[in-house]
Amino acid sequence: KSDDDYITSVKFVQEGGGYLAVGTNFCETQLWDIESQKMLRSMDGHSDRISSLSWNDFILTSGSRDCGIVNHDVRVAQHSVSTYKGHEQEVCGLAWSPDGQTLASGANDNFLCLWDARGESRFDRKVVAPRLKLGEHQAAVKALAWCPYQRNVLATGGGTADRTIKLWNAANGSVLNSIDTGSQVCSLLWNPHEKELLSSHGFSDNQLCLWKYPSMVKTKELTGHTSRVLQTAISPCGTMVCSAGADETLRFWKVFEPSKKTTIKTSSSRSAFARMNLR
């Protein structure tokens, strides 16, 4: 491989086990077995770097700087089963809804697009247009997060010229709430235990903020990064958050407290994924 090739996005399979999707600067969408440290397959379909990834069962969705979105069925040799066209600049955010019926995409063109899956038959090698194309943000839309306890509620965050977190009714595209955070919104995570939303930020404060939902009252600020907080990830237990900053540091925060009634169930994705007969 050329020295110019590098990893541009990663996403673990939904069950949280031993398979990792990797996007590269050289337009490849790869699937890796992390236990054996071997690449299982490489999938094409894009003409520029892979900026974003999201899983929907056996469908791996990739977004690219070529403005396109491709759905890959990782079980079959002819993996590219449909293409979504609706953005005019790099697709920097992707998130499938918990029920697998709606894909949210955000891009550098400042648009949020919502796409219908409508069951497995939707993935039939067609070029698909978005159900809704929403232009309320005034900057790139990278941060996307579906509410885990209220159906059709989507949170999005805008870039430096926008600075807002917006809550949407994804069924009809209406804005439920919009909060000016005062700084670039880079990522969003819902608390799996309580009705809270965590945001990470760039210019000018490079902080993480915790918000009560649905009031969107800010309850906590977490500081430490010296440059924008590019991405956040939650631990399998749902209490720890790891943040990755442009200051080249990873920071670990104990943000979310589990409910006393909550029991976290963990399962290996290896057995379930093994049945998919990857090719």
Side-chain angles (χ1 to χ4, degrees), residues 51-53 69 87 90-95 104-107 141-144:
S51 316
S52 48
L53 296 164
I69 298 168
H87 289 291
E90 183 167 12
V91 181
C92 51
L94 289 173
S105 64
V141 184
K142 177 177 177 288
L144 304 166

Side-chain angles (χ1 to χ4, degrees), residues 44-62:
D44 58 11
H46 290 289
S47 59
D48 212 324
R49 71 181 180 193
I50 311 301
S51 316
S52 48
L53 296 164
S54 185
W55 284 96
N56 183 11
D57 197 10
F58 50 81
I59 296 294
L60 173 60
T61 303
S62 57

Side-chain angles (χ1 to χ4, degrees), residues 193-194 257-264:
H193 309 294
E194 303 289 343
E257 291 295 331
S259 169
K260 292 181 180 179
K261 296 181 180 179
T262 301
T263 57
I264 304 297

Side-chain angles (χ1 to χ4, degrees), residues 244-257:
D247 56 10
E248 301 185 0
T249 68
L250 295 176
R251 295 177 185 266
F252 294 84
W253 315 83
K254 190 170 184 180
V255 182
F256 303 140
E257 291 295 331

Side-chain angles (χ1 to χ4, degrees), residues 189-194 196-198 210 220 234 237-241 253-258:
L189 284 177
W190 289 93
N191 182 344
H193 309 294
E194 303 289 343
E196 294 177 324
L197 180 66
L198 182 71
L210 190 63
K220 190 179 296 184
I234 192 168
C237 68
T239 61
M240 299 287 291
V241 169
W253 315 83
K254 190 170 184 180
V255 182
F256 303 140
E257 291 295 331

Side-chain angles (χ1 to χ4, degrees), residues 116-190:
D116 283 338
R118 295 181 184 171
E120 198 170 326
S121 61
R122 182 65 166 173
F123 302 113
D124 52 7
R125 293 178 174 81
K126 289 183 178 180
V127 175
V128 180
R131 171 170 59 86
L132 291 170
K133 188 171 183 179
L134 307 168
E136 277 77 356
H137 280 293
Q138 303 303 309
V141 184
K142 177 177 177 288
L144 304 166
W146 290 93
C147 181
Y149 28 76
Q150 191 167 356
R151 191 171 184 270
N152 285 326
V153 172
L154 173 69
T156 63
T160 305
D162 182 87
R163 305 183 306 275
T164 67
I165 295 173
K166 297 188 189 297
L167 298 171
W168 305 81
N169 179 343
N172 58 22
S174 62
V175 177
L176 304 174
N177 201 350
S178 182
I179 304 298
D180 188 345
T181 68
S183 56
Q184 173 189 24
V185 184
C186 300
S187 71
L188 294 165
L189 284 177
W190 289 93

